Amino acid sequence: MVENYTEKHDVVVVGGGAAGLMCAATAAARGRSVVLLEHNRKPGAKILISGGGRCNFTNQDTTAAAYLSENPHFAKSALSRYTPWDFMDMLARHGVTWHEKTLGQLFCDQGAKRILEVLLRECEDAGAEVRTGTGVKSVQCRNGHYEVATSSGLLQASSLVVATGGLSIPKMGATSFAYDIARQFSIPVTEPAPALVPFTFADTDLAFMKSLAGVATDCVVSLGAATFRENLLFTHRGLSGPAILQISSYWSSGKAITVNLLPDEPDALLWLRTTREGRPKAGLKSILAERLPSRLAEAVADHWPGPIGTMSNKVLATVAQRLVSWQLTPSGTEGFAKAEVTRGGVSTAALSSKTLEAKTQAGLYFIGEAVDVTGWLGGYNFQWAWASGWAAAQDL
Ligand code: FDA
């Protein structure tokens, strides 16, 4: 064994997830010598569990409007240069097929494992080494080179790409490495927070939701200008389901969300009044059950027993309000343990949108979820990982 032996590469990528693997393969294909360090025993853990094991690998309607960031324009450059079709071309070269589930979301027919195999094959074919079970102890920049001390020795590279993702799901290997490195080099970090995460509730709201745990319903949920029409799911802790995960990315403590349980009903009050005229003996429960899951209809109608014919205009207005403009203030979220992604991250103000290189630190790049660019649910986060990884690789 040679003491103090320093391995030299053009590029060290830290993090073997979606962004890191894409970046490593692309940079190696451009002729760079690349080593990727992943502290888990296997790369791509989140790819494997994504999309319920089928990996919603992109969204064919991707535009920068589907991303949250302090700078809403930041993602445009990378997203426009590496599009969903570029990723599909790569999959097609490997014989992988896919299908659209809903809302432009593309899922892999052969499962998430196949997506990871494609990325690892791309790395192998291009000559990028994927080194797993290798943690990074420290990073120094000396004479324009990055020295990366790992659990298995010292590496030197002219470029260091940080692709270690955000804080969500720590038990899968998430760390604050990207933010720590950013701070070490005086690069600002926008406060990270859980996103695409279920809400928790307290008191009477929680009791109501608990009683409906497992019930899902189509709805429109909104907060300020953000609005999503998808399913809502009642849980033992509060609310989840795609509509709730989407709006959670826009939520901060103390804010109320508005839920419309009758998204296809243009005038709920008119509908209730007309029903009262036509079927005065009908109970609210059976009327609501025509538009809502029966358990939900029953729970809502519980507050207003008796036939609809006995209900005043004022009562019907209250019922309508509850159905189309249900105001709810979550007590919190289920946190990073359950968040699909992390909002915030390395500040876009400190990075080049074209190359993802730090403006004040030559040779240091941040890509993927580590950056303050957070996509909606539906394949957008992987598309950002591919696009930002590819964009950085063009500069390496
Ligand atoms: P990612 O987190 O994937 O990779 C970072 C890697 O760095 C990990 O392998 C980690 O172990 C490693 N690492 C961390 N710290 C390290 C250190 N100090 N040293 C070495 N290695 C380190 N998105 C989407 O578009 N479609 C989908 O279907 C889903 N589904 C989904 C399901 C679930 C349950 C979750 C939790 C998330 C999703 N996502 C998703 C989000 C998507 O998985 C996520 O946005 C991307 O994986 C981000 O890719 P990155 O490569 O940036 O980080």
Side-chain angles (χ1 to χ4, degrees):
M1 195 180 116
V2 185
E3 284 295 327
N4 296 326
Y5 170 70
T6 305
E7 228 186 283
K8 293 191 174 135
H9 295 274
D10 295 326
V11 182
V12 167
V13 177
V14 187
L21 291 168
M22 171 58 88
C23 184
T26 310
R30 297 183 69 246
R32 303 296 176 267
S33 112
V34 182
V35 63
L36 179 150
L37 308 175
E38 165 59 51
H39 71 164
N40 281 347
R41 278 197 309 114
K42 290 185 176 168
K46 283 188 184 165
I47 296 173
L48 291 176
I49 58 155
S50 65
R54 290 225 159 260
C55 188
N56 176 197
F57 61 83
T58 193
N59 192 299
Q60 58 189 10
D61 301 330
T62 297
T63 67
Y67 295 84
L68 290 83
S69 172
E70 258 179 12
N71 176 358
H73 304 293
F74 184 82
K76 284 181 182 169
S77 174
L79 291 174
S80 66
R81 284 180 300 135
Y82 191 88
T83 68
W85 282 269
D86 292 314
F87 195 78
M88 285 185 250
D89 282 348
M90 184 181 77
L91 294 185
R93 284 202 308 276
H94 290 262
V96 175
T97 56
W98 58 85
H99 60 278
E100 182 187 348
K101 219 173 187 177
T102 172
L103 304 169
Q105 302 169 4
L106 302 187
F107 287 74
C108 178
D109 292 338
Q110 291 80 19
K113 194 163 166 263
R114 194 71 191 96
I115 300 285
L116 180 56
E117 282 167 5
V118 165
L119 291 163
L120 291 173
R121 186 60 195 265
E122 288 277 318
C123 284
E124 193 182 327
D125 289 351
E129 186 194 341
V130 176
R131 207 173 285 177
T132 54
T134 308
V136 175
K137 289 179 178 163
S138 67
V139 170
Q140 302 295 330
C141 184
R142 282 204 188 95
N143 307 321
H145 284 89
Y146 291 89
E147 290 180 3
V148 182
T150 75
S151 44
S152 57
L154 197 61
L155 282 82
Q156 193 192 70
S158 40
S159 302
L160 176 68
V161 181
V162 180
T164 50
L167 296 175
S168 39
I169 327 257
K171 71 171 189 240
M172 292 185 71
T175 68
S176 60
F177 182 84
Y179 316 140
D180 300 340
I181 292 292
R183 291 188 185 108
Q184 179 184 335
F185 290 98
S186 304
I187 293 164
V189 173
T190 303
E191 182 66 18
L196 299 181
V197 63
F199 283 135
T200 55
F201 287 84
D203 308 326
T204 47
D205 283 339
L206 180 60
F208 181 80
M209 289 162 189
K210 259 181 157 172
S211 73
L212 289 168
V215 172
T217 192
D218 179 25
C219 74
V220 170
V221 55
S222 44
L223 200 174
T227 171
F228 295 94
R229 178 170 183 173
E230 286 188 64
N231 263 355
L232 165 157
L233 174 70
F234 293 93
T235 75
H236 287 283
R237 302 188 64 188
L239 294 177
S240 187
I244 292 299
L245 299 185
Q246 297 281 33
I247 212 73
S248 74
S249 299
Y250 293 82
W251 184 78
S252 56
S253 188
K255 283 193 182 165
I257 59 166
T258 305
V259 178
N260 178 356
L261 295 167
L262 297 175
D264 289 321
E265 179 53 67
D267 189 335
L269 181 55
L270 182 64
W271 169 59
L272 290 172
R273 283 180 165 202
T274 314
T275 310
R276 184 179 57 186
E277 299 299 308
R279 297 149 60 200
K281 293 201 173 111
L284 199 52
K285 179 189 157 190
S286 55
I287 294 163
L288 295 185
E290 291 161 15
R291 307 283 180 97
L292 297 174
S294 60
R295 276 175 65 196
L296 177 58
E298 188 176 355
V300 173
D302 251 8
H303 294 268
W304 296 283
I308 192 167
T310 63
M311 294 178 193
S312 66
N313 285 344
K314 200 173 159 205
V315 168
L316 289 194
T318 310
V319 176
Q321 166 99 358
R322 170 69 186 256
L323 291 170
V324 301
S325 188
W326 187 20
Q327 301 278 316
L328 288 160
T329 305
S331 57
T333 73
E334 293 199 27
F336 285 116
K338 291 284 164 63
E340 215 160 274
V341 292
T342 300
R343 185 179 77 195
V346 177
S347 172
T348 52
L351 304 177
S352 155
S353 62
K354 189 166 177 225
T355 66
L356 286 301
E357 185 178 21
K359 288 177 181 168
T360 54
Q361 185 63 40
L364 179 62
Y365 298 75
F366 294 89
I367 58 174
E369 202 181 311
V371 179
D372 172 29
V373 172
T374 307
W376 291 344
L377 190 79
Y380 298 101
N381 284 297
F382 277 137
Q383 188 56 36
W384 168 246
W386 317 134
S388 58
W390 182 91
Q394 304 310 305
D395 199 51
L396 295 169

